[in-house]
Amino acid sequence: MSFAFFFPGQGSQSLNMMSGFDQISCVKDTFVEASDVLGQDLWAMINGTDEAVINSTVNTQPLMLTAGIATYRAYLEAQGKPPSVVAGHSLGEYSALVAAQSLSFEDAIKLVRVRAQLMQEAVPEGIGAMAAILGLDDEAVKAVCVNSAQGEIVEAVNFNAKGQVVIAGNASAVERAMLAAKEAGAKRALPLPVSVPSHCALMKGAAEKLAHALDSITVNKPTICVLHNVDVQSYSDSAAIKDALVRQLYSPVLWTQTVASLADEGVHLSAECGPGKVLAGLTKRITDKMNCQPLVKMDDVHQFISTLQ
């Protein structure tokens, strides 16, 4: 049976987000491994009381990568079979590449910390913004962004599901686009609690620096097909994978297309491998041809494995 694993990105983090795996040693070992690389106690961070700490981009990115890989290792340890294809939403693409043995876990942890720092440095806090536009089709959102830019940057950057598009850019331009979207018939326009405007042209400077960081990273041919956010393509060549990661930083996340294309190709079962249920919810909105099971506790992992048998 062909099935997919999806890895969530920023926005799915929460305090105590790995509580469903408290007694699983390989999960804690994964957090220890990442903590040793960064010189921070990531397990204590997610099990603390300060939500602002885990919501800071420089912490969120390594935390979500670690959580995704810890969940995947728990799944494999429980005798789960490797998926046929993997994909990750934005940051989750790095988790997908680790699962596919294209990136080492240690290199990926270092890389996403650098990525987060570069993103934050590229656009100082308060300069950029992101917002979710609900109830408008993709082309209408794109038109709203074009008309609202007024010499600044505002772009449609996450195509998450039908009628659910995220925009990003200069804070004032995003504010104009939110108002224009409501006037155009959007049901809601919600500002997102993020400190950087991901996947828009404001990230091009960060992308150039990320390319230099990737020069020293070994990227292997994936052992599992990895679908990339930027073009819904899979690559086996190291240079092509690195290029996809660089372009991803300033290009839209084509999540709707990713899930729909897999469903059309006969992949009707998937698992969300990491905290939260965001991607499972989006899958329901995108297609009725695919079921996505969130793996937020060990019981979910066992249930998914039994589904495969």
Side-chain angles (χ1 to χ4, degrees), residues 103-124:
L103 279 174
S104 75
F105 180 52
E106 181 178 348
D107 280 347
I109 285 291
K110 293 175 182 176
L111 195 56
V112 298
R113 170 54 61 85
V114 169
R115 179 182 185 266
Q117 290 170 334
L118 292 174
M119 291 170 72
Q120 193 66 77
E121 290 166 5
V123 183

Side-chain angles (χ1 to χ4, degrees), residues 9-27:
Q10 284 185 253
S12 290
Q13 73 277 2
S14 63
L15 292 173
N16 304 306
M17 62 187 182
M18 297 301 290
S19 60
F21 298 91
D22 269 346
Q23 307 306 314
I24 309 303
S25 59
C26 72
V27 168

Side-chain angles (χ1 to χ4, degrees), residues 181-224:
K182 289 178 182 176
E183 291 172 359
K187 292 178 182 176
R188 301 181 76 183
L190 306 170
L192 300 180
V194 296
S195 55
V196 291
S198 304
H199 304 294
C200 74
L202 294 175
M203 289 291 113
K204 283 197 172 180
E208 291 172 4
K209 294 176 181 177
L210 180 65
H212 291 302
L214 279 162
D215 284 343
S216 61
I217 299 292
T218 298
V219 175
N220 300 307
K221 179 180 178 179
T223 58
I224 302 169

Side-chain angles (χ1 to χ4, degrees), residues 2 4 35 41 43 59 142 158 162 170 187-188 287 289 300:
S2 294
S35 297
D41 189 337
W43 188 258
N59 293 326
K142 290 178 186 177
N158 288 2
K162 183 179 179 181
N170 294 105
K187 292 178 182 176
R188 301 181 76 183
T287 179
K289 297 178 183 178
D300 297 334

Side-chain angles (χ1 to χ4, degrees), residues 27-90:
V27 168
K28 290 187 178 178
D29 290 346
T30 302
F31 273 81
V32 168
E33 189 180 341
S35 297
D36 288 345
V37 171
L38 297 180
Q40 291 176 286
D41 189 337
L42 300 185
W43 188 258
M45 196 181 291
I46 64 168
N47 292 295
T49 57
D50 192 346
E51 201 163 13
V53 171
I54 67 166
N55 287 341
S56 173
T57 295
V58 294
N59 293 326
T60 307
Q61 297 203 20
L63 284 172
M64 286 302 299
L65 171 68
T66 304
I69 295 307
T71 303
Y72 187 64
R73 288 177 174 177
Y75 166 81
L76 292 179
E77 192 175 79
Q79 305 304 308
K81 296 184 294 186
S84 316
V85 59
V86 291
H89 190 284
S90 185

Side-chain angles (χ1 to χ4, degrees), residues 2 98 153 187 192 232 253 290:
S2 294
V98 174
I153 299 294
K187 292 178 182 176
L192 300 180
V232 200
V253 174
M290 183 188 293

Side-chain angles (χ1 to χ4, degrees), residues 199 207 230-231 235 240 242-252:
H199 304 294
V230 72
D231 51 16
Y235 298 104
K242 290 181 179 182
D243 179 61
L245 292 175
V246 171
R247 288 186 290 135
Q248 187 220 57
L249 208 54
Y250 61 83
S251 303

Side-chain angles (χ1 to χ4, degrees), residues 273-295:
C273 190
K277 302 179 180 181
V278 171
L279 301 184
L282 292 179
T283 300
K284 283 183 181 180
R285 293 175 62 95
I286 293 168
T287 179
D288 58 6
K289 297 178 183 178
M290 183 188 293
N291 177 50
C292 184
Q293 170 68 48
L295 307 180

